[in-house]
Amino acid sequence: MLIARLIAGEDGLATRLEAAQSALAREGMAIAEAAMLDACSDVLQIAVPEGKAALLRDTLGTAFGPCDLLVADHLIEAPRLFVSDMDSTMIGQECIDELADYAGLKPEVAAITERAMRGELDFAGALRERVSLLAGLNEDAIARCLTERIRPAPGAAALVATLKAKGCRTVLVTGGFHHFADAVAEQLGFDRVVANRLGVAEGRLTGALAGAIFDASGKAAALREEAARLGEGARVLAMGDGANDVPMFAGADYAVAYRAKPAARAAAGGWIERGDLAAALSLLGIARGEWVAATC
């Protein structure tokens, strides 16, 4: 049984459902049930006895888009593990791009970041190239950047706090840097951070990384490690926006692409493109009355 949940505008909902039903029927897939969730009145749940999850996802995305959507091959429930990317997901910025602005190099660095997140460049090589451009930048620029530029994405605090209140372990994984991620994780309440480290000497960036590169394979490994600790049957939610999030999506029960690049969207079990990050709570069936109020 495939279960899909979606949030879309109310206008023409019945017409769009009919369009989706017809499109699925042409593919040999039938909607067995479609109804609004009792706990979340803005969420439409659709049950399909059999078929391809990706086809159901794409068909509903076409019929109802822009929408927030999640598809699974089981009854959707609150996860016990949440693993999330940071840049352009839990925060609204790309930290290395913003930091590069303090060196007068934001356009050059941002162009490389965009291509890397689309999967057009090798992540490790692109990361080394961008970091090398920051050689000589005063370390104080990191603190200034955090204070002046870096902000949680809308709904991030409510999402993390509510999942933690439900007993979910939360892990922030990023190809970015501990200099930023540790502060973001503390602000949002993540239990663990895995990230890269910028090389610093005599108060300035060296233009190199300190230690091995943490990349897409590292994100996937961190998810597997955390899931193994919880044991079989523990549902896992992964969230991200770029190509380097695709491997960890494969290990999650619920993979959600947040305002994502095409590669991440195509690999995910659903996406958020209409609401903010807290929309994931509704898709998981957590009623608004159970949401923990955001404090940041």
Side-chain angles (χ1 to χ4, degrees):
M1 176 71 75
L2 296 176
I3 300 295
R5 289 179 179 172
L6 64 89
I7 306 171
E10 294 183 2
D11 293 342
L13 194 63
T15 300
R16 285 181 284 174
L17 180 58
E18 288 178 5
Q21 190 167 16
S22 297
L24 289 170
R26 288 193 292 271
E27 299 293 338
M29 298 170 63
I31 293 178
E33 183 180 5
M36 308 306 290
L37 281 185
D38 290 337
C40 304
S41 59
D42 60 339
V43 177
L44 174 64
Q45 178 167 290
I46 296 172
V48 176
E50 57 183 3
K52 297 179 179 179
L55 180 58
L56 177 58
R57 177 202 64 192
D58 292 344
T59 300
L60 295 178
T62 298
F64 290 93
C67 64
D68 303 330
L69 172 69
L70 181 60
V71 175
D73 61 1
H74 55 269
L75 184 63
I76 298 170
E77 58 186 304
R80 289 184 57 202
L81 174 65
F82 174 44
V83 181
S84 180
D85 174 49
M86 180 178 72
D87 295 65
S88 297
T89 303
M90 285 297 113
I91 60 175
Q93 303 77 35
E94 292 286 337
C95 289
I96 194 167
D97 296 358
E98 299 304 323
L99 185 59
D101 204 18
Y102 290 82
L105 295 169
K106 184 174 181 177
E108 295 92 326
V109 170
I112 300 171
T113 299
E114 177 68 15
R115 293 188 64 196
M117 291 304 99
R118 288 184 175 276
E120 298 171 3
L121 298 175
D122 170 68
F123 177 82
L127 181 62
R128 290 192 184 96
E129 181 180 0
R130 287 175 290 167
V131 171
S132 70
L133 294 172
L134 302 180
L137 183 64
N138 195 304
E139 185 181 14
D140 292 346
I142 296 173
R144 289 179 56 201
C145 186
L146 268 167
T147 300
E148 298 171 1
R149 305 285 184 91
I150 306 306
R151 300 289 183 270
L159 173 60
V160 176
T162 302
L163 289 178
K164 285 172 67 70
K166 292 287 184 180
C168 181
R169 178 166 170 80
T170 56
V171 182
L172 189 65
V173 293
T174 175
F177 314 109
H178 274 286
H179 285 85
F180 293 95
D182 290 348
V184 170
E186 182 177 1
Q187 183 179 16
L188 293 177
F190 277 89
D191 297 310
R192 181 189 177 194
V193 180
V194 191
N196 290 298
R197 294 189 184 276
L198 288 166
V200 179
E202 298 181 352
R204 294 188 178 276
L205 303 190
T206 65
L209 293 165
I213 287 183
F214 180 75
D215 58 8
S217 62
K219 289 184 175 184
L223 184 147
R224 289 194 300 269
E225 173 193 335
E226 292 285 347
R229 289 177 181 173
L230 292 175
E232 187 175 353
R235 298 299 185 193
V236 179
L237 167 65
M239 188 174 289
D241 74 299
N244 67 332
D245 297 311
V246 170
M248 76 169 177
F249 280 178
D253 296 284
Y254 315 123
V256 177
Y258 178 68
R259 304 189 184 277
K261 303 297 188 295
R265 183 183 173 98
W271 48 69
I272 294 175
E273 62 182 6
R274 183 173 179 271
D276 63 25
L277 286 170
L281 297 173
S282 293
L283 294 175
L284 292 167
I286 301 174
R288 284 183 177 269
E290 300 178 57
W291 293 12
V292 177
T295 58
C296 61

